[in-house]
Amino acid sequence: MNYRHIYHAGNFADVLKHAVLARLVVYMQQKDKAFRVLDTHAGIGLYDLSSDEAQKTGEWLTGIGKLMEADLPANVAPLLAPYLDAVRELNPDGPITLYPGSPKLARMLFRPQDRLSAMELHPDDCRTLSRLFEGDYQVRITELDGWLSLGAHLPPKEKRGIVLVDPPFEVENEYERMVDGLAKACRRFATGTYCLWYPIKKGAPLAEFHEALKALDIPKMLCAELNVRSDREGGLSGSGLIIVNPPFTLKDEMHLMLPVLKQAMAQDRYASHRCFWLRGED
Ligand code: SAM
């Protein structure tokens, strides 16, 4: 477990993931009934972008740094507001130095009845995350393999929820593990909304991944991808999300948000985006 999210916090991939996570939370809140967010690979929750680690890569500068500077069209600003307002709230003096990871962002958007269960396997990171939420009765942090939580922690007792699966993709078969994990989770909690993150880079087995997902007996699966540059130079050139049981409004929202995210964070003229149903709706 060498992965440390501090090197990547606030990058273009975080922006897509967190913008969508915020949309999912806001949608859940259209009903008064409580829901739970299960964050299977939670990280440390709050990132200091002025730290040596974040400064070393400077990835956030081409992610949240660019988006915060962008002039957002009037029809997109309200869609990104829950996410961007949370970032602003952490940085009341202007320049961004603190960036919310997924558990912190979800928690910032919660009402009193909403709950978070966050898994983090790295002992140091889990300790940091636990300290961040110390005494917070709406949050439960567990040092556990997130893949196991898809069995052990589902269904949530609220029977409504969002499951974010955001592994570090350090091991080769992570795409396959994601398909298996989703199949297992949906057998236990078929009505949950799932958001699975995956990297896009040269040679990534995306077609196989999508085919394997399509073969699952899951009726509604939306795919949203944002590439910020050509994949020729190697490294992370884009990222994708699979959203199972998305809010019925999400696809239209993605069609508005993706071009704006692309324009704000594009690194070359090969930047692109797409959003389509892997299964269902069309
Ligand atoms: N979801 C976070 C966010 O959006 O702010 C970022 C998570 S980061 C991509 C992945 C995290 O998963 C790392 O903090 C890593 O230590 C942790 N991790 C790695 N393997 C894990 C496992 N099997 N179960 C739970 N956490 C794991």
Side-chain angles (χ1 to χ4, degrees), residues 43 84 98 101 122 173 204 214:
L84 294 182
L98 287 177
H122 196 291
N173 67 348
K214 272 197 239 176

Side-chain angles (χ1 to χ4, degrees), residues 42-108:
I44 61 172
L46 189 62
Y47 297 90
D48 178 358
L49 300 178
S50 67
S51 63
D52 289 347
E53 295 93 331
Q55 292 286 335
K56 189 171 172 192
T57 59
E59 286 189 20
W60 66 276
L61 292 167
T62 50
I64 189 64
K66 288 283 183 207
L67 186 60
M68 292 297 270
E69 284 167 8
D71 223 351
L72 301 176
N75 57 351
V76 172
L79 299 177
L80 290 172
Y83 165 46
L84 294 182
D85 286 350
V87 178
R88 285 189 201 103
E89 192 182 323
L90 290 171
N91 299 280
D93 298 330
I96 315 168
T97 49
L98 287 177
Y99 183 78
S102 49
K104 178 71 176 170
L105 175 64
R107 177 63 184 91
M108 289 178 81

Side-chain angles (χ1 to χ4, degrees), residues 5 39 47 74 104 124 145 158 197-198 224 229:
H5 197 64
D39 194 340
Y47 297 90
K104 178 71 176 170
D124 293 346
D145 184 339
E158 295 79 8
W197 181 90
Y198 58 93
R229 60 175 172 83

Side-chain angles (χ1 to χ4, degrees), residues 4 143 162 175 187 262 269:
R4 279 293 185 281
E143 188 181 319
I162 300 165
Y175 292 94
R187 279 195 295 272
K262 184 192 95 168
R269 66 194 168 93

Side-chain angles (χ1 to χ4, degrees), residues 1 3 17-18 40-43 101-102 120-121 144-146 166 168:
M1 293 227 312
Y3 183 89
K17 172 183 40 180
H18 294 155
T40 62
H41 296 71
S102 49
E120 172 54 53
L121 194 56
L144 180 71
D145 184 339
D166 181 24

